Amino acid sequence: MIIMKTDATQEQIEQVIKEIKRYGLRADIIKGEFRSVIGLIGDEKKVDFDHFTTLPGVKEAMMVETPYKLISREYTKFFREAGEQKIIKVGKIAIGGNEPVFIAGPCAIESKAQLLKIAERVKKAGGHILRGGIFKPRSSVHSFQGLGATDWKRAEEALKWLYEAGKRFEMPVVTEVRGESHVDLVAEYVDILQIGARNMYDQDLLTKVAKKKKPVLFKRHFGAGIEEFLSFAEYIAAESNKNIVLCERGIVPVGKGKDYTRYILDLGSVPAIQKETYLPIIVDPSHATGRSDLIFNMSCAAIAAGASGLMIEVHYNPKEALVDGGQMITPDELKDVIDTCQRIHKLITPRRNKK
Ligand code: PEP
Ligand code: MN
């Protein structure tokens, strides 16, 4: 990491970047209120940091060994106030701000009528962002894969419904990009690009999505440790896109656990991750538990754990849903979750701010 002097000129910054490139590395430039900090992307071991300290405009140069330095709190202390939280703005919604954000909608978009009906009721319940899967990651090839699986035309049609529902009910929209081939098309219609748990490790997908410069909803793989999760989020940050919303969605269950909950919701990871990074983290209790009757409790627990929001699957009639009916709640239940979580959030806000 290269910390520039407060009076460093643009030419001096450019000189440092040139030197970084000479080592075959890339530079991440952060212009803080008082000074610029340049992060190195790549293998820093081959870099002679002493040489950097001799360059004009450079205050300090040092190696940073954490694998997720671009998103770490540690790294920000040089240009921002320590402990500051990143707020990700999506339209009028701020994720990571003073209010918890609720993302809700169907697991999969099944028809225009289904989506519009759910969107209207999500909005009425107090939801902020509308979700809906078009390219579904499924364990079985024989199950419904989302409308996007039919053909490109159908995928685009469903994306237009999502766009229209978002506009009509004034909610930004999010959907998953399951593969690199989906990125260009999906990015045309949505406000947030979701990377699903199964794709957390797909570096090429992460890089392609990051380059769209739109906020990314990045879900933790069910087998990933916290360091791995943050290290892969770093791939997005390394493309100069730090608008990343992390999402805890449960890790692999043990023993007979699967008979009771779909995954294990790792709520300890929420405050632990929040200590490591300035990025906001939200929780998805729907995929974590797989059970609609557990959503209320686990939503409350997630907000109490310090989550900046929730992502919840909602349907007016969960029984008729083609996917994940067992874990969807109704819009009325969503309202109850939102109202209660907002109260819990208020209660813990003074403590959260002391983090
Ligand atoms: C989803 O949010 O639609 C989804 C499939 O979740 P996950 O990637 O966490 O399984
Ligand atoms: Mn689902």
Side-chain angles (χ1 to χ4, degrees):
M1 183 191 306
I2 319 289
I3 300 154
M4 302 301 292
K5 290 181 181 159
T6 44
D7 58 356
T9 64
Q10 186 57 31
E11 286 74 50
Q12 289 168 340
I13 293 173
E14 270 155 28
Q15 180 62 29
V16 169
I17 296 168
K18 219 160 124 193
E19 287 290 308
I20 292 172
K21 284 189 181 153
R22 218 166 49 80
Y23 282 102
L25 275 71
R26 290 187 290 147
D28 178 65
I29 307 118
I30 299 145
K31 290 205 155 88
E33 207 178 320
F34 305 110
R35 63 173 82 250
S36 294
V37 173
I38 305 170
L40 279 65
I41 301 167
D43 185 3
E44 291 185 22
K45 285 193 196 77
K46 52 188 177 187
V47 173
D48 175 4
F49 284 94
D50 287 342
H51 163 64
F52 276 95
T53 52
T54 65
L55 297 179
V58 173
K59 181 173 180 275
E60 255 179 276
M62 71 192 87
M63 180 152 152
V64 178
E65 285 188 274
T66 160
Y68 47 86
K69 58 193 171 195
L70 301 181
I71 59 166
S72 80
R73 283 195 188 276
E74 184 70 23
Y75 181 71
T76 54
K77 72 175 176 222
F78 296 100
F79 57 93
R80 270 200 210 156
E81 214 167 293
E84 212 178 303
Q85 175 75 31
K86 182 159 180 70
I87 296 176
I88 298 172
K89 290 249 171 71
V90 198
K92 289 182 189 150
I93 307 299
I95 308 172
N98 292 331
E99 298 292 331
V101 168
F102 298 92
I103 304 174
C107 176
I109 297 174
E110 296 168 9
S111 68
K112 186 174 180 181
Q114 173 243 25
L115 178 66
L116 289 176
K117 195 165 164 184
I118 293 174
E120 182 176 16
R121 300 199 55 193
V122 161
K123 179 75 182 184
K124 265 202 193 128
H128 302 106
I129 297 175
L130 178 66
R131 64 151 283 151
I134 292 168
F135 297 101
K136 295 302 304 171
R138 302 304 308 278
S139 301
S140 167
V141 71
H142 304 295
S143 52
F144 177 59
Q145 310 286 310
L147 291 177
T150 319
D151 59 45
W152 228 229
K153 221 173 121 236
R154 194 84 173 124
E156 187 157 23
E157 194 178 21
L159 281 162
K160 283 181 178 160
W161 300 337
L162 187 57
Y163 177 86
E164 192 185 319
K167 287 277 165 281
R168 191 181 303 181
F169 300 107
E170 295 181 349
M171 288 184 284
V173 295
V174 55
T175 199
E176 178 169 348
V177 274
R178 204 182 50 207
E180 281 180 70
S181 63
H182 306 154
V183 179
D184 289 336
L185 178 70
V186 172
E188 271 185 53
Y189 293 97
V190 303
D191 304 287
I192 305 173
L193 295 159
Q194 177 174 327
I195 293 177
R198 285 153 195 82
N199 282 323
M200 189 204 88
Y201 293 104
D202 188 342
Q203 295 169 220
D204 297 326
L205 177 64
L206 268 51
T207 304
K208 184 147 191 204
V209 165
K211 285 191 169 133
K212 289 291 169 192
K213 303 287 183 234
K214 289 199 163 187
V216 181
L217 177 56
F218 187 55
K219 299 188 93 175
R220 178 183 180 183
H221 186 275
F222 33 79
I226 290 173
E227 184 171 304
E228 268 185 305
F229 183 29
L230 296 177
S231 299
F232 278 87
E234 183 91 347
Y235 276 97
I236 302 168
E239 296 303 324
S240 303
N241 185 349
K242 301 204 178 88
N243 288 321
I244 308 163
V245 181
L246 302 168
C247 181
E248 163 59 39
R249 47 79 70 213
I251 51 178
V252 273
V254 291
K256 279 195 161 290
K258 269 200 289 259
D259 297 345
Y260 300 92
T261 58
R262 193 170 170 183
Y263 292 92
I264 292 175
L265 182 52
D266 182 11
L267 283 183
S269 76
V270 174
I273 284 173
Q274 211 59 108
K275 284 201 165 38
E276 293 298 313
T277 177
Y278 53 82
L279 297 175
I281 175 160
I282 66 163
V283 167
D284 169 357
S286 305
H287 291 91
T289 64
R291 287 175 54 169
S292 56
D293 60 333
L294 303 188
I295 302 301
F296 180 84
N297 293 82
M298 297 322 289
S299 295
C300 294
I303 293 297
S308 290
L310 299 171
M311 179 153 89
I312 299 177
E313 290 189 337
V314 171
H315 200 288
Y316 44 86
N317 183 8
K319 282 201 190 75
E320 77 180 42
L322 294 179
V323 198
D324 283 351
Q327 67 193 35
M328 300 227 231
I329 59 170
T330 63
D332 287 345
E333 288 167 331
L334 176 69
K335 185 171 180 346
D336 194 20
V337 167
I338 292 178
D339 291 349
T340 312
C341 284
Q342 278 167 338
R343 278 160 46 211
I344 294 172
H345 191 268
K346 271 201 187 76
L347 209 64
I348 65 155
T349 294
R351 298 287 294 271
R352 271 172 63 93
N353 292 344
K354 270 196 220 143
K355 259 186 305 247

